Amino acid sequence: NAGVTQTPKFQVLKTGQSMTLQCAQDMNHNSMYWYRQDPGMGLRLIYYSASEGTTDKGEVPNGYNVSRLNKREFSLRLESAAPSQTSVYFCASSLDISGNTIYFGEGSWLTVV
Amino acid sequence: AQKITQTQPGMFVQEKEAVTLDCTYDTSDPSYGLFWYKQPSSGEMIFLIYQGSYDQQNATEGRYSLNFQKARKSANLVISASQLGDSAMYFCAMRERVTGANSKLTFGKGITLSVRP
């Protein structure tokens, strides 16, 4: 059972470089999310996609872009990485409002130097 | 305004005792869901328990139970018979309707639980 798969798991970037975090789910979920987790801050929502074809900003969208490529895939792009974007990134997916379980990927550790 | 509030500092509990982790929430959506997740030092997010806003009974999953007090907007997690492996960060989260049948999930800042032998 794959669930939510995100890649890469670890990445080191230089300031100004760009990269894309990939996320895919095989559960036919409508909604997908990208979170970042920083020490003492909990998980903060970057962007979400309520359904295929739609994306919306979360709490901390600056410096990021997303693409809901299809129902399965939701990618997060850093166009010009900054040290403040050093964090652990989690992708998640959920069914619609009647769903009672949110599934998370294993996380991606990103360091910007 | 914060949607999910977890204000307890690091919590400590003796092995085999029960512990309550607090969570309060704020929403105007009448149909919402509340979740608790565990994050051990290895980093993954582990789903523990779910409570729907219309559920009549408090949710239970093994040693985990959710003390849901709707009028007070609180959803506290109770862990009975604590084990050393329960030492972790615990997050409360709320799912609210966004549009139609789609939803958004918001997390609290988390509580660190340490179980003492």
Side-chain angles (χ1 to χ4, degrees), chain A residues 30-31 33 35 37 40-43 45 48 50-51 59 90 94-97 99-104 109, chain B residues 29 31 35 37 39 42-45 47 50 91 95-99 101-110:
Chain A
N30 286 316
S31 300
Y33 315 84
Y35 289 88
Q37 184 178 24
M41 299 295 290
L43 277 77
L45 183 63
Y48 66 99
S51 61
E59 298 175 69
F90 286 95
S94 66
L95 289 169
D96 56 23
I97 197 66
N100 63 4
T101 308
I102 314 285
Y103 294 89
F104 280 83
W109 275 253
Chain B
D29 181 4
S31 179
F35 302 75
Y37 284 85
Q39 187 179 44
S42 52
E44 71 270 30
M45 295 290 287
F47 168 75
Y50 168 83
F91 291 95
R95 187 198 61 228
E96 301 173 277
R97 191 190 306 269
V98 175
T99 56
N102 297 307
S103 60
K104 184 175 73 170
L105 187 67
T106 304
F107 281 80
K109 293 187 177 183

Side-chain angles (χ1 to χ4, degrees), chain A residues 20-75:
Chain A
T20 299
L21 297 174
Q22 307 284 355
C23 178
Q25 51 91 9
D26 61 3
M27 296 170 283
N28 203 35
H29 284 173
N30 286 316
S31 300
M32 297 185 73
Y33 315 84
W34 275 107
Y35 289 88
R36 61 177 287 172
Q37 184 178 24
D38 303 294
M41 299 295 290
L43 277 77
R44 293 182 293 168
L45 183 63
I46 305 171
Y47 271 92
Y48 66 99
S49 172
S51 61
E52 184 180 359
T54 68
T55 60
D56 287 284
K57 295 179 180 179
E59 298 175 69
V60 288
N62 291 345
Y64 304 95
N65 286 302
V66 290
S67 296
R68 183 75 183 264
L69 303 170
N70 47 56
K71 193 168 187 178
R72 289 186 65 249
E73 299 172 288
F74 187 40
S75 62

Side-chain angles (χ1 to χ4, degrees), chain B residues 1-86:
Chain B
Q2 276 194 323
K3 292 278 191 177
I4 295 285
T5 303
Q6 296 180 263
T7 57
Q8 291 167 304
M11 293 286 289
F12 294 87
V13 65
Q14 202 67 32
E15 192 178 8
K16 300 182 183 178
E17 292 185 350
V19 63
T20 298
L21 305 182
D22 295 342
C23 174
T24 59
Y25 60 92
D26 183 28
T27 181
S28 57
D29 181 4
S31 179
Y32 55 91
L34 296 157
F35 302 75
W36 278 91
Y37 284 85
K38 173 184 177 181
Q39 187 179 44
S41 58
S42 52
E44 71 270 30
M45 295 290 287
I46 301 169
F47 168 75
L48 296 178
I49 198 166
Y50 168 83
Q51 179 86 42
S53 59
Y54 292 124
D55 293 343
Q56 293 297 313
Q57 294 188 332
N58 286 346
T60 60
E61 291 284 350
R63 295 186 299 110
Y64 303 108
S65 60
L66 203 152
N67 183 2
F68 182 46
Q69 298 186 44
K70 195 170 183 177
R72 297 179 61 182
K73 294 189 174 181
S74 74
N76 299 339
L77 178 70
V78 180
I79 305 174
S80 62
S82 297
Q83 302 172 355
L84 296 178
D86 293 335

